[in-house]
Amino acid sequence: MLEGSVRRSGQRLRITAQLVNATAGYQLWSERYDREMTDAFAVQDASASAIVTRPRGAMPARPE
């Protein structure tokens, strides 16, 4: 399960994302991203791209 939060301070955003094994209840991966709030869509795109590509090593192998 992916969970996260977004906090804003002035023109800065802190985005925190965690990948959690919901069955076993432990965290597989987490990351924090600090961004300038210059363009909300650019921040969203960059953060989403980083979140999708970064935790690949944390994902358990799929049974065949």
Side-chain angles (χ1 to χ4, degrees):
M1 170 174 45
L2 180 66
E3 53 184 36
S5 65
V6 177
R7 293 185 178 176
R8 182 177 176 183
S9 177
Q11 290 299 309
R12 302 271 311 151
L13 289 176
R14 174 166 288 169
I15 301 160
T16 305
Q18 298 177 22
L19 185 62
V20 177
N21 181 323
T23 304
Y26 62 88
Q27 181 176 305
L28 298 167
W29 168 88
S30 84
E31 190 74 41
R32 183 178 78 196
Y33 304 94
D34 291 319
R35 302 281 193 257
E36 282 291 325
M37 183 64 182
T38 54
D39 179 352
F41 295 121
V43 170
Q44 179 182 3
D45 289 345
S47 299
S49 177
I51 290 167
V52 167
T53 58
R54 289 295 301 256
R56 289 182 191 247
M59 296 293 288
R62 295 178 111 179
E64 294 188 25

